[in-house]
Amino acid sequence: YTTFPGNLKWPTNKLTYRIENYTPDMSVSEVDSVIEKALQVWARVTPLRFTRIYSGTADIMVSFGTREHGDYYPFDGPDGTLAHAFPPAAGIGGDAHFDDDETFTFQSSNGYNLFLVAAHEFGHSMGLSHSNDPGALMYPVYSYSDPNSFSLPQDDVNGIQFLYGKNPDVNPGDPDPEPPTTPDACDPNLVLDAVATLRGEQMFFKGRFFWRIYPQSGEAVQSLIKNFWPEVPDNLDAAYESQETDRVYLFKGQKVWAISGYDLVRGYPKSISSMGLPKTVKKVSAALYEEHSGKTLFFVDKHYYSYDEARQTMDSGFPKLVEDGFPGFRGKVTAAFQNSGFTYLFKGPHVFEYSSRSKRLYRVLGNSYFLRC
Amino acid sequence: AHCLPILPPPGTEQDKDVAEMYLKRFYNLTEQRGRVFHRGVSPLGEKLSEMQRFFRLKVTGTLDSDTLQVMKKPRCGVPDVSQ
C-alpha cells in the first residue's frame, strides 16, 4: 500500500458525507445503500465513523459528472478513467467524483460495479494512494468481484490502519473474518492450484491469482485471473495446454473452460465428461499434455487417466496409480505440466521432475525453481 | 522515383499517443519537446519503466504489448505517483 506525501489523514475520526447528485444507471436507494456500504468497508477496520448530511458542505462530497466537471481533472468518456477522489484536506479534499459516461451497476458484473469503484475511491478520501498488490482494493486497475462476498484485503487493512489504527469496537469474541491475502511467490510452503503453458509462456495458478512467466526473461508477473477471464472461477483444480487444439483447458469441479490465446472459447464451460472422464470423477486435481505421445494425462489424486487428444477418446487400462506410471512418486498430484521434454508433477510445495519419455525421476525441486523470487 | 513514406504499422502512432496520455495522467510525464535525455534514456522511456515497475511487468522502458494492455484497462483516475 502507499499513502500520500506527508501521510495525509483526517484530524478526526468522525466524518460527514453528502451525495450531491445521482447516476441515471441506478435507483436513488441503490446508490444510497452502495455509498454507505462502501464507506463501511473502511469503518469496519478503523475508528472512522461516517454520518450522512443532506445539505451544506460535508467532508466527503460524492458526485457524478462527465468530461470537465468542475475540477482540473476532466473525465474521458466511457471506459478509461472511471472515477477519482481527493486525499484528506479542507475544501475539495476527500471528495469523490464518478464518471457518469460509465455504466455503473448495483449487483451485476456488467458495466462497472459502483460499490467496488466507490470503496476504492473512498480509500483515497481517507488518505490511501495506490497499491501495486494486484489483489488489493487500492490497485489502480478495476476488476470485478462479487460485492456480496467482498472482504477488504490485508494490504488495504494494513494501509488504513497505519493511518488510523484498528477498530476499537470490534468484539474480540466475534472478530472479523481473516482478510484475504495475495499469495507470495517466495513462500516456501506455497501449494499451487494448477500449472499450464500458453504458447511458450508458463502460468501458475493460486486462489484468485496467476503468475505468468515469459520464456525469455523468466520474470513472473502476478495478475488476478478475473482481470483476464472474468468468467473463469478462482481456486482452479487443474489446467493444461493442448498442442493438438492450441487451447488451454481450465478445470474446476465437474466443469472445464477453454481459452484460445487470451480469449474464452464460446460454448464453454462444458462438463469434464466431455473429455472422456467417467461421471464418477468429481474433479481433476492436475492435467498435462504429453507432446511426444499426444496423450493428455488427467490426475485424480493418486490415480491418472490417459486421453488421446487426436482420437478424443480415453485410453483403455486406466485409471492407474500415479506411482505405477511415475516411479518414485507417492501420494496426490496437486498440479502438473510438461516443458521441454520434462514432466513436472507437483505435490504440495514439492515438484518431481521426470523425463517425459523414460518416466525416470531426475530431481525433486521447489516451486521457486519456476517462480523466481 | 518518388519514395513513399514508410507508414508505421497500424496502431503504432495511436498506441504511442495512448501511452503518452497515460504517462502524463498517471506518472507525471511532462511535455516531451526539447526534453533532455538522462543517461541516454528519454523521459518517455523513464516513465514507461516507472509504470512497468509499478505493475510488476518486464521493465524494458519500451512500449510492449503487455504494457499497452495494462494502459487500456479501466482504472481509477488518481495518479500512481504522488504529484
Side-chain angles (χ1 to χ4, degrees):
Chain A
Y1 67 85
T2 58
T3 56
F4 290 99
N7 293 330
L8 291 176
K9 61 177 281 195
W10 293 101
T12 165
N13 292 328
K14 296 192 182 335
L15 300 169
T16 57
Y17 74 98
R18 179 182 163 197
I19 303 172
E20 291 188 88
N21 63 0
Y22 288 84
T23 170
D25 304 336
M26 296 159 61
S27 70
V28 167
S29 62
E30 286 174 343
V31 173
D32 288 350
S33 75
V34 157
I35 296 300
E36 184 194 3
K37 191 179 163 196
L39 287 166
Q40 282 313 308
V41 161
W42 302 105
R44 191 170 303 123
V45 293
T46 65
L48 292 166
R49 297 295 176 266
F50 301 99
T51 304
R52 183 176 178 181
I53 63 175
Y54 296 81
S55 62
T57 301
D59 298 311
I60 299 163
M61 299 290 268
V62 177
S63 61
F64 294 84
T66 58
R67 301 290 179 179
E68 185 45 70
H69 55 278
D71 61 26
Y72 294 101
Y73 303 95
F75 285 133
D76 53 2
D79 301 321
T81 297
L82 307 180
H84 56 223
F86 297 85
I92 199 169
D95 294 0
H97 300 164
F98 298 85
D99 182 355
D100 221 351
D101 275 329
E102 313 302 346
T103 301
F104 289 114
T105 54
F106 182 51
Q107 288 291 342
S108 87
S109 61
N110 301 320
Y112 297 107
N113 183 275
L114 183 61
F115 164 74
L116 297 170
V117 178
H120 173 103
E121 296 309 329
F122 293 145
H124 292 313
S125 304
M126 296 305 119
L128 289 183
S129 190
H130 283 145
S131 168
N132 72 346
D133 174 339
L137 173 62
M138 295 313 290
Y139 191 65
V141 171
Y142 174 87
S143 67
Y144 177 77
S145 62
D146 180 358
N148 296 313
S149 56
F150 177 83
S151 179
L152 189 63
Q154 187 64 57
D155 181 74
D156 305 292
V157 173
N158 296 344
I160 202 70
Q161 288 185 348
F162 166 74
L163 289 172
Y164 297 96
K166 295 177 186 289
N167 180 355
D169 302 335
V170 168
N171 170 0
D174 177 24
D176 270 342
E178 270 304 300
T181 55
T182 300
D184 177 358
C186 301
D187 174 359
N189 302 310
L190 175 69
V191 178
L192 292 164
D193 295 336
V195 184
T197 52
L198 169 57
R199 297 181 183 170
E201 286 184 15
Q202 294 166 5
M203 300 188 291
F204 297 80
F205 294 89
K206 177 65 180 179
R208 301 187 291 149
F209 301 87
F210 74 113
W211 287 273
R212 281 183 302 152
I213 295 194
Y214 305 99
Q216 62 275 26
S217 77
E219 288 198 28
V221 177
Q222 189 179 34
S223 305
L224 282 167
I225 295 172
K226 295 234 181 298
N227 252 353
F228 283 84
W229 309 291
E231 302 83 356
V232 171
D234 300 332
N235 303 302
L236 291 170
D237 294 331
Y240 80 94
E241 176 182 28
S242 163
Q243 315 292 343
E244 188 76 22
T245 61
D246 185 26
R247 287 176 174 176
V248 174
Y249 296 93
L250 306 169
F251 296 79
K252 180 156 187 183
Q254 292 190 294
K255 290 184 181 173
V256 56
W257 287 258
I259 52 178
S260 173
Y262 277 104
D263 300 320
L264 205 66
V265 176
R266 197 184 301 274
Y268 284 85
K270 291 182 178 176
S271 160
I272 56 176
S273 59
S274 67
M275 303 189 94
L277 284 160
K279 293 206 185 307
T280 50
V281 172
K282 295 304 176 204
K283 65 171 246 183
V284 176
S285 55
L288 67 84
Y289 175 85
E290 287 196 328
E291 273 185 74
H292 67 279
S293 65
K295 305 289 187 186
T296 293
L297 305 185
F298 290 116
F299 296 86
V300 179
D301 295 336
K302 297 181 180 180
H303 293 85
Y304 73 105
Y305 294 79
S306 174
Y307 176 71
D308 188 304
E309 284 272 342
R311 288 187 293 116
Q312 298 212 334
T313 54
M314 223 18 118
D315 293 325
S316 57
F318 289 86
K320 288 180 181 173
L321 265 174
V322 174
E323 55 203 63
D324 293 344
F326 295 87
F329 191 92
R330 291 284 177 284
K332 298 182 179 182
V333 179
T334 50
F337 80 115
Q338 190 200 49
N339 195 40
S340 308
F342 291 99
T343 292
Y344 295 96
L345 301 187
F346 291 65
K347 180 183 169 190
H350 306 296
V351 190
F352 290 67
E353 180 187 60
Y354 287 88
S355 156
S356 296
R357 288 178 185 277
S358 67
K359 298 293 189 292
R360 198 176 123 227
L361 176 60
Y362 280 127
R363 296 182 288 180
V364 179
L365 308 159
N367 287 317
S368 56
Y369 178 74
F370 301 100
L371 288 172
R372 277 157 234 172
C373 301
Chain B
H2 294 282
C3 61
L4 291 175
I6 299 174
L7 293 178
T12 309
E13 207 48 42
Q14 184 187 359
D15 290 344
K16 192 164 175 292
D17 293 344
V18 165
E20 274 203 28
M21 171 88 75
Y22 189 93
L23 295 171
K24 281 176 186 165
R25 276 193 96 123
F26 304 116
Y27 285 83
N28 221 7
L29 173 68
T30 49
E31 277 314 315
Q32 287 297 296
R33 269 168 286 290
R35 295 279 294 134
V36 177
F37 276 44
H38 288 290
R39 297 186 303 282
V41 181
S42 73
L44 185 72
E46 273 183 3
K47 290 302 183 181
L48 265 174
S49 298
E50 191 176 350
M51 179 249 177
Q52 289 166 336
R53 209 167 292 117
F54 180 91
F55 282 101
R56 302 185 195 176
L57 296 168
K58 243 179 331 190
V59 178
T60 62
T62 58
L63 187 58
D64 53 51
S65 60
D66 272 313
T67 303
L68 198 60
Q69 194 179 46
V70 171
M71 288 179 165
K72 292 180 175 176
K73 286 183 185 284
R75 59 161 289 160
C76 169
V78 173
D80 296 333
V81 291
S82 49
Q83 287 184 333

